[in-house]
Amino acid sequence: PTAEDYEKVYDIPIGKSPVRGNTAAKVTIIGFLDLQCPFSARFQPVINQVLEAYPGKVNYVIKHFPLSFHQQAKPAAKAILAAGEQGKYWEMADSILKNSQDLSKEKLEEFAKALKLNMKKFEADFRSKDTDWEKLIQEDYELGLKVDVKGTPTYYMNGRKTRSRDLESFKKEIDTLLQFRGQSPTS
């Protein structure tokens, strides 16, 4: 495999993906995730800490990159999208990533019930929008291939791949980006 290029800035359109945080934030983190991947799950709390540390200044987008050997990753992505139809995209994403070891249909329904989703609508959306969501997930996956995603999770900050995986590393990069954009990290 070729070496990672951490200096290259990729064009990663947000497209139809929901944005967590201020859409006008100076820093956008895009995570290519496989929802069944234990590493994607492990680093989600760090992303949440980053968002809490930089309210209004950093936002976050998930791009779906289901790996072929994780059979429950696509259904989990569709469950997030179905929950999103009822305004609970991020809550479902958090539930799934906290419990990524069991993403059976029953477990996904359990998460939906815990979020107090309208279950008839959730199940109907899950079935009726399957083709659209399959296309959306495939578009995310193909985008990941274009921007050199080699595994999950892969994170980008303002289009540049990052090695950051802990709060302090993310803060260092974010502070540099905020200063580069003429904004003090504390303002």
Side-chain angles (χ1 to χ4, degrees):
T2 58
E4 297 281 357
D5 184 352
Y6 290 95
E7 295 304 314
K8 183 174 181 178
V9 177
Y10 296 90
D11 179 25
I12 307 174
I14 292 172
K16 296 178 184 175
S17 300
V19 176
R20 186 177 219 169
N22 178 0
T23 57
K26 302 285 187 205
V27 178
T28 296
I29 300 171
I30 296 181
F32 283 85
L33 309 182
D34 172 311
L35 297 171
Q36 195 177 349
C37 168
F39 299 105
S40 291
R42 179 190 300 171
F43 296 114
Q44 189 62 25
V46 174
I47 295 296
N48 291 338
Q49 290 173 341
V50 168
L51 293 170
E52 287 174 22
Y54 293 91
K57 296 177 185 157
V58 176
N59 62 35
Y60 179 58
V61 175
I62 291 175
K63 293 291 186 180
H64 298 285
F65 199 82
L67 303 171
S68 62
F69 52 89
H70 283 152
Q71 298 303 311
Q72 295 173 324
K74 266 192 190 180
K78 292 174 186 178
I80 290 175
L81 294 166
E85 293 292 314
Q86 296 183 50
K88 298 284 185 166
Y89 179 94
W90 292 106
E91 294 85 347
M92 181 62 93
D94 287 341
S95 294
I96 286 172
L97 287 163
K98 282 179 192 165
N99 302 285
S100 65
Q101 64 281 4
D102 180 7
L103 298 177
S104 63
K105 183 179 187 291
E106 295 76 24
K107 199 66 166 172
L108 295 174
E109 289 172 355
E110 184 181 310
F111 299 152
K113 287 176 187 171
L115 293 173
K116 297 182 176 25
L117 296 181
N118 175 325
M119 291 307 293
K120 285 185 181 182
K121 178 170 176 33
F122 178 79
E123 292 164 5
D125 286 341
F126 204 93
R127 283 189 309 275
S128 69
K129 298 183 180 190
D130 183 71
T131 304
D132 293 338
W133 291 340
E134 190 73 33
K135 182 180 176 213
L136 182 72
I137 293 165
Q138 186 61 34
E139 288 171 0
D140 282 357
Y141 186 83
E142 288 172 9
L143 176 61
L145 294 175
K146 279 186 194 174
V147 299
D148 298 322
V149 171
K150 298 186 183 353
T152 57
T154 299
Y155 297 108
Y156 296 79
M157 275 196 268
N158 290 359
R160 184 173 287 156
K161 198 177 281 191
T162 179
R163 292 183 184 104
S164 294
R165 294 294 181 270
D166 62 65
L167 182 58
E168 290 310 311
S169 298
F170 272 108
K171 280 183 161 186
K172 186 175 178 184
E173 279 192 69
I174 291 166
D175 289 347
T176 299
L177 287 169
L178 291 175
Q179 287 172 351
F180 178 71
R181 293 191 169 255
Q183 180 179 348
S184 154
T186 56
S187 66

